[in-house]
Amino acid sequence: MSQENPFQDPLRFERGVPPCAVVIFGANGDLARRKLIPALYRLAGQRLLPPGFAVLGNSRTPLSDEAFRDKMRESVAGFLEDTPLEEEVWGVLAKALFYVPGDVHDPELYARLAGKLGEIETSFQTGGNVLFYLATQPSQYTPIAQGIGAAGLARGAGWRRLIIEKPFGHDLASARELNRELQRVFDEPSILRIDHYLGKETVQNILAFRFSNGIFEPLWNRRYVNHVQITAAESIGLEGRGAYYQEAGALRDMIQSHLLQVMATIGMEPPASYEAEAVRDERAKLLRSIRIMKPEHVPHDAVAGQYGPASVGGEEAPGFRQEPGVAPDSETDTYAAATFFIDNWRWAGVPFYIRTGKRLPRRVTDAAIHFNAAPLALFAAHNPQCPSQLTPNLLIVRVQPEQGVSLRFLSKQPGVGMTLRPVSMDFNYGESFGSRQSWDYETLLVDAMLGDSTLYIRQDAVEASWAAVQPILDVWSNQRFDFPNYAAGTWGPKAADEMLARCGHAWRNP
Amino acid sequence: MTALHSDQILEELRELWASLGKAAEQGDSHGVVRACALTLIVFAEETDDVVSIGETLAELMHEHPHRAIVVRVRRDAPPLLEHRVLAQCWMPFGRRQQLCCERIEILAAEASLPDLAPILLALRAPDLPVVLWYRSERVFESPALPATALAAHKIVVDAASAGDPPAMLRRLAEATAAGLPIADLSWTRLTRWREIVAQVFENPASRALLPRIGEVRVFHPGERIPPEACYLAAWVLDALGREIDVGFEAAAQDGIEFRGTGIQPVHVAGCPRASDSALLREELAILGRDPVYDRALRLAARIAGRERG
């Protein structure tokens, strides 16, 4: 008899999530309340959670199970965004929520967690499967992993996995050190490093777009692509993250993690299969191919910025140094832009411009592939105001707030003559697939319970992305900036425009 | 008889979109977006509940925006073809634009069905999949408008509403064997139930019992064995890959029981019935053939024929 279940029907059945317990450290924190519990609620509503499922929350705040459930209910109701809370669905999930208070540095906590997990294993038939989710400050990753290991919780009757959130270290050396500590307790396949950008539909769709359509991949190389621009702009300021952000900065917070992953997804070679390791191999290979900047090139290829106060839409927006929790002489970058080159056969010589910042004019994340202009400007005489060299074909992958793909090309304007005008062909997720869109955390939590690490970041990719930004961090850490150098509500410092202008390019206005 | 011209209908659709756009500009909305991922052609009797059809289509368009062509057939009437066009719109949460789907309603006398095929071909949204949903068994079987003529990517029927379900299963099996992409909502109704059966056997200890199962008994409400029961038994036989005893028993509630020597019977109760829109939503997500269904249909037709004697 085969070990396979003959009754499975993958075409119709949802992927079967195995019974398990999810232990959330930092369960009373922002991430758990805004993202994790609402995502679990939505999974429960879609019947994607197995009958043998429980959540065990931990934080220092003393709470009973009931008080924890009440708090989580309030969070779910507040953060669902698009639907009202359904009491029936909540009731099912609430019965599976438990709470053990305690300090993660206290060995007794892990003994209590072990006891509670034992009870859950018996009453919920979880088969001993446990997913540890570290929704805490990064400084607590190591003590928690050590506590789990010392209490013998990293091994059991079922599988044991650990999810950590970025930042994975604050530089290359600390990333390696963190990894050493985690791997003392969990082996690499059991460590899931979450980058919620990889859980976004559009980012996953880049793979589908590239590797399931025959028409794009032949153009996806240095012969046809002039350059690539990746933008992640926020219109808001710090929103209470002053203390963290002051230590991190835009380069660490966004480029090292999310945006280099997006770049890797755009630039990677086709994997041999859609298996986790095959995809992760190619992504990591791309990141390892990023040319490491020499210190003397950093001023030329990277720009730091920090926003100053401004009046935006009739309201006074404070500058970064005026934000609560920020030092008045802070040198933190709230804007970062960099030019990366990928030294491989496909991309040699093609600049990848990445920029991110806070208090920019609008919230938008997208990646734009700028194709080369037509070799001959056939209609130039008719279009002095719109030469095709200035309006090349653009393929834009929109990640947020709207998800979709647009293709810009030139078209004849109706009427006499051959006046050209750029037009856009748009695919929008909402229009083609209606309202059905998973949240990134739903996708990633299900994958974690299934043991599918395709959308999680492997350690070699973490190290490669730190290696790519480390020279910039090193130079910036020894530099005094003339901050603030851009006003809130603008597209960043002038130096970022000059960085592209030197190569004959200009930032898009997304 | 009023003549039906596809160009005229398409022109009316264009005018409809122009007027919707204008109305949106004048109102609070920031424009309308025409959403379409497939053409859904619905065949119904004139007496069918048109409001219910409209509600089902409205529920579908959130996940499967479509151009709907609803053909209602009038029995025993002189030739007749009439139409009207309309749009259904909704404002997704957090968006300023309305998303709209278009609908063409055609009232056709049975005698006019042969004239309808070329019109329907012209009205399909170009280059997008076409799904036929037969709510009328009579139209499905009518030689005047064969499903093959419409080059459909999926043909949806409901054997449970057929006058003679075993005969319907046999015809569906023949159609599938002939290459038509058939889907039966009676089968779709089983998905959640089948999923629970599969979950029971996810457990390795339960799976170890499979070779010892010698009989499967399907419980169904009512005297007549419904097509769902035949499908379920057929699916189990196909999954096990061997012949076992199959029995049907009238009962107050749906259920399936696995029996065998030396093992406790494993009983899995049926699930509440899903709405038509939920069933169609599932089918529209799977365009083309479904090999598990095709195999189950073949066996179900055989079982249904045998049970009827």
Side-chain angles (χ1 to χ4, degrees), chain A residues 382-455:
Chain A
H382 301 263
N383 294 274
Q385 81 293 357
C386 178
S388 58
Q389 282 76 5
L390 289 185
T391 51
N393 295 127
L394 262 186
L395 184 75
I396 302 161
V397 179
R398 288 177 276 114
V399 177
Q400 62 186 20
E402 294 199 334
Q403 304 198 29
V405 179
S406 299
L407 179 65
R408 186 179 76 177
F409 56 95
L410 287 170
S411 172
K412 180 187 173 299
Q413 200 163 299
V416 185
M418 275 304 280
T419 308
L420 304 186
R421 194 178 73 170
V423 292
S424 177
M425 217 153 59
D426 292 329
F427 152 69
N428 184 306
Y429 257 86
E431 286 156 29
S432 293
F433 297 110
S435 54
R436 183 190 55 190
Q437 276 186 46
S438 301
W439 289 353
D440 35 20
Y441 275 93
E442 287 173 53
T443 306
L444 292 165
L445 280 166
V446 167
D447 283 356
M449 291 185 268
L450 286 165
D452 180 351
S453 53
T454 310
L455 300 178

Side-chain angles (χ1 to χ4, degrees), chain A residues 1 3-9 11-14 47 51 81-82 402 428 430-436, chain B residues 33 35 37 62-63 65 93 95 99 187 191-192 194-195 198 201-202 207 210-211 235 239 282-283 286 290:
Chain A
M1 164 62 69
Q3 287 306 299
E4 296 286 312
N5 181 349
F7 295 111
Q8 279 300 343
D9 185 352
L11 200 57
R12 302 215 176 224
F13 298 171
E14 297 287 356
R47 301 190 320 243
E81 293 177 9
D82 49 358
E402 294 199 334
N428 184 306
E431 286 156 29
S432 293
F433 297 110
S435 54
R436 183 190 55 190
Chain B
V33 174
H62 295 254
E63 282 187 24
F93 181 84
R95 298 275 301 268
L99 293 187
W187 165 257
T191 300
R192 180 67 189 134
R194 292 193 299 122
E195 208 167 355
F201 291 100
E202 262 309 290
R207 211 147 64 229
L210 286 175
W235 171 65
E282 180 178 327
E283 287 302 334
I286 309 167
D290 172 354

Side-chain angles (χ1 to χ4, degrees), chain B residues 75-87:
Chain B
R75 284 184 192 224
D76 308 324
L80 168 80
L81 285 172
E82 286 176 4
H83 80 278
R84 67 170 186 148
V85 297
L86 60 148

Side-chain angles (χ1 to χ4, degrees), chain A residues 260 263-264 267-269 281-293 339-350 352 460-461 463-465 467-468:
Chain A
L260 284 181
M263 174 175 150
M268 66 189 254
E269 294 299 315
D281 282 348
E282 295 304 336
R283 216 183 266 134
K285 214 163 80 186
L286 189 287
L287 290 169
R288 284 199 299 270
S289 305
I290 295 174
R291 186 188 304 165
I292 305 298
M293 279 183 211
T339 305
F340 292 103
F341 288 93
I342 299 168
D343 284 340
N344 66 16
W345 278 57
R346 185 188 284 262
W347 295 116
V350 177
F352 281 69
D460 55 345
E463 290 186 15
S465 53

Side-chain angles (χ1 to χ4, degrees), chain A residues 21-276:
Chain A
V22 178
V23 180
I24 302 176
F25 291 92
N28 200 24
D30 221 34
L31 177 66
R33 289 189 299 112
R34 281 173 181 264
K35 300 288 183 186
L36 302 183
I37 301 292
L40 289 171
Y41 165 84
R42 281 178 51 129
L43 291 174
Q46 297 164 71
R47 301 190 320 243
L48 289 178
L49 296 179
F53 176 82
V55 175
L56 180 52
N58 158 262
S59 73
R60 277 187 303 189
T61 315
L63 290 174
S64 64
D65 288 342
E66 273 312 312
F68 177 59
R69 287 168 190 155
D70 289 346
K71 275 199 127 180
M72 294 303 114
R73 186 190 177 287
E74 199 178 302
S75 299
V76 171
F79 294 113
L80 268 184
E81 293 177 9
D82 49 358
T83 47
L85 183 128
E86 286 180 41
E87 289 301 340
E88 197 183 330
V89 176
W90 172 250
V92 172
L93 182 63
K95 281 182 197 155
L97 296 185
F98 301 93
Y99 185 80
V100 171
D103 186 330
V104 296
H105 298 90
D106 176 9
E108 282 299 307
L109 166 68
Y110 300 93
R112 291 201 301 280
L113 287 175
K116 192 71 187 172
L117 278 173
E119 288 172 26
I120 287 172
E121 187 176 334
T122 308
S123 51
F124 284 81
Q125 297 285 299
T126 57
N129 299 326
V130 184
L131 178 65
F132 296 100
Y133 200 119
L134 275 50
T136 62
Q137 293 291 334
S139 59
Q140 295 182 335
Y141 292 170
T142 298
I144 293 173
Q146 287 168 345
I148 290 170
L153 289 172
R155 306 278 179 273
W159 49 256
R160 303 290 159 113
R161 297 182 190 129
L162 178 81
I163 297 186
I164 56 170
E165 286 271 341
K166 72 150 185 114
F168 314 118
H170 52 87
D171 56 16
L172 180 57
S174 60
R176 285 179 172 154
E177 174 58 26
L178 170 65
N179 191 52
R180 263 193 301 276
E181 290 299 330
L182 298 179
Q183 290 197 349
R184 283 186 216 282
V185 182
F186 292 91
D187 52 13
E188 174 62 23
S190 304
I191 303 172
L192 300 168
R193 299 171 191 84
I194 209 164
D195 183 330
H196 67 90
Y197 261 55
L198 292 182
K200 291 186 183 296
E201 290 287 358
T202 318
V203 176
Q204 294 175 62
N205 192 37
I206 294 171
L207 296 179
F209 185 77
R210 289 187 56 196
F211 303 132
S212 65
N213 295 296
I215 60 169
F216 301 111
E217 198 53 23
L219 309 178
W220 216 261
N221 57 54
R222 63 189 302 275
R223 288 182 64 193
Y224 298 99
V225 175
N226 184 274
H227 67 280
V228 177
Q229 293 186 17
I230 300 173
T231 299
E234 289 285 349
S235 56
I236 56 171
L238 296 181
E239 306 288 300
R241 292 173 73 216
Y244 162 73
Y245 200 81
Q246 189 170 229
E247 293 303 312
L251 184 67
R252 281 191 178 95
D253 189 47
M254 289 296 293
I255 294 184
Q256 181 275 329
S257 51
H258 304 316
L259 301 186
L260 284 181
Q261 290 299 325
V262 172
M263 174 175 150
T265 310
I266 288 172
M268 66 189 254
E269 294 299 315
S273 65
Y274 194 63
E275 300 287 333

